Amino acid sequence: MKRILVTGAGGQIGSWLVPRLRDAYGVSKVLATDVRHSGSDASDGPFQVVDATDAKAVGQAVMRHRADTVFHLAAILSAVGERDPRLAWHVNMSSLEAVLEVAREQKCAVFVPSSIGVFGSSTPKDPAPQDAIMRPETMYGVTKLAGELLCDYYHARYDVDTRGLRFPGLVSYGAPPGGGTTDWAVEIFHKAVRNGRYTCFLGADTQLDFMYMPDAIRAAVELMEADPGRLVHRNAFNVTAMQLTPASLAAEIRVHVPDFAIDYAVDPVRQGIADSWPDRVDDSAAREEWGWQPAYDAASTARDMFEHLSEGAVV
Ligand code: NAD
Ligand code: AKB
């Protein structure tokens, strides 16, 4: 990786990934793109408005920047995708096809984040194996699974260096999450700081996998830098760091905000999505093939979140 283009750079992941890539590879080497402007993008380094579903625009941006690697983050997430499935299909599939075609023509490596959303109720729940029955029940999951297969196809057929991770829910401060089922695990911290209480849209004991954003960013970069000869499961690797329920994270939050209160107003759509996803994934393939190792557990995540939120990172 020497010259990098990031799509969907203004979102929850991109707002962390772009500064990390600029630190490692140089500010001018990383072109951030998004369909919309976000608060900080222009001042922090090169930024361009690019609709990732527009193959011509993606191709021109890659060519002008002379990118050798694309981190393709533009997507519609699970909860928004259930509200508008056709939008999710259009954005997630058209943008991926555009990026892969450009990568084939201009010989770029491509990172595409997949998700625990690729699994469905017929997948073993604890743990969901790396190679599992995959019958996702959301449009988001359908696009993510189709995306994994398309990335495998471009690697096998055209030798495009495609790599991906099945991210779990991601906890971070900074840019807010973009409309997923796991957003509660970010909202809860902000509400704890601001109001001392949170009303959760999932039930108290709904367990899912999570990861703190610094681990997620490190995982993406380590995977892209890994020896390709070792990668069997390119698209995409199960990765996880911790399993959380709303009740267990509330207990962690009470270490920092002793009077914190949580109540529940379950949203049947997002609860249905969460119930169709695994309680835990088996990430041993990532550990074996490129040395994946998380650094943050629930306690250290909560500690770091509160340190940064107390410095004014509440949105
Ligand atoms: P996000 O919703 O926060 O950000 C997505 C960004 O894509 C936004 O800035 C949006 O403006 C942009 N975008 C939307 N349509 C676009 C288009 N047509 N062209 C260009 N940009 C467009 O999402 P995120 O959390 O940063 O997720 C990034 C990727 O990681 C997605 O593929 C998502 O499925 C995946 N992922 C995220 C999580 C998570 O918990 N955040 C977990 C698993 C997988
Ligand atoms: C979502 O909830 O949609 C995302 C994801 C786990 O893919 N955070």
Side-chain angles (χ1 to χ4, degrees):
M1 283 199 287
K2 290 196 170 59
R3 301 185 63 87
I4 301 165
L5 183 142
V6 181
T7 72
Q12 189 192 3
I13 297 180
S15 63
W16 281 72
L17 179 66
V18 169
R20 164 71 180 82
L21 292 174
R22 285 180 174 157
D23 280 350
Y25 301 97
V27 171
S28 66
K29 304 289 166 52
V30 181
L31 175 62
T33 72
D34 202 292
V35 75
R36 62 181 168 87
H37 276 279
S38 66
S40 61
D41 44 35
S43 55
D44 296 332
F47 174 83
Q48 190 181 326
V49 170
V50 175
D51 179 346
T53 65
D54 179 346
K56 197 169 159 203
V58 175
Q60 284 173 349
V62 167
M63 187 173 289
R64 283 192 193 130
H65 185 59
R66 290 180 284 116
D68 57 44
T69 304
V70 178
F71 281 77
H72 176 46
L73 306 182
I76 301 295
L77 276 74
S78 59
V80 175
E82 284 317 281
R83 280 206 298 278
D84 193 343
R86 293 189 68 198
L87 176 73
W89 176 265
H90 169 66
V91 172
N92 296 4
M93 298 315 301
S94 304
S95 66
L96 180 58
E97 202 221 351
V99 166
L100 289 173
E101 265 304 294
V102 168
R104 179 178 72 79
E105 286 165 6
Q106 301 194 39
K107 306 210 176 329
C108 301
V110 184
F111 174 83
V112 182
S114 187
S115 161
I116 53 171
V118 292
F119 299 114
S121 308
S122 51
T123 304
K125 269 202 163 324
D126 192 2
Q130 173 67 43
D131 300 307
I133 297 169
M134 291 157 89
R135 308 283 298 175
E137 288 144 44
T138 61
M139 181 54 89
Y140 177 66
V142 168
T143 65
K144 285 289 160 188
L145 181 54
E148 289 187 10
L149 296 173
L150 199 59
C151 288
D152 274 343
Y153 183 83
Y154 269 72
H155 175 62
R157 175 80 195 259
Y158 303 118
D159 203 27
V160 178
D161 185 358
T162 54
R163 307 184 189 193
L165 298 170
R166 290 179 189 142
F167 278 136
L170 300 178
V171 177
S172 63
Y173 54 91
T181 304
T182 58
D183 293 8
W184 69 268
V186 177
E187 292 168 6
I188 193 171
F189 283 99
H190 291 270
K191 296 287 184 189
V193 171
R194 260 190 291 172
N195 310 332
R197 64 181 312 125
Y198 176 59
T199 302
C200 188
F201 57 77
L202 295 186
D205 300 320
T206 308
Q207 180 177 306
L208 292 168
D209 280 297
F210 284 90
M211 192 183 276
Y212 194 35
M213 192 62 90
D215 270 343
I217 299 304
R218 186 170 52 79
V221 172
E222 283 179 4
L223 174 61
M224 290 309 281
E225 287 176 343
D227 172 3
R230 289 183 63 197
L231 303 181
V232 180
H233 297 89
R234 290 178 154 268
N235 302 291
F237 288 91
N238 285 356
V239 279
T240 187
M242 58 188 133
Q243 291 72 42
L244 299 174
T245 67
S248 74
L249 188 52
E252 227 30 271
I253 284 173
R254 278 189 206 104
V255 172
H256 306 268
V257 184
D259 295 335
F260 176 69
I262 185 165
D263 50 26
Y264 299 91
V266 170
D267 166 19
V269 174
R270 285 177 286 184
Q271 185 67 51
I273 297 172
D275 289 344
S276 76
W277 291 353
D279 293 346
R280 177 195 320 259
V281 298
D282 172 5
D283 64 1
S284 50
R287 290 171 189 259
E288 283 157 22
E289 290 175 38
W290 50 277
W292 162 241
Q293 191 68 53
Y296 287 88
D297 61 10
S300 49
T301 296
R303 202 166 41 244
D304 202 62
M305 281 292 285
F306 279 114
E307 264 173 40
H308 286 92
L309 294 179
S310 67
E311 288 164 7
V314 187
V315 290

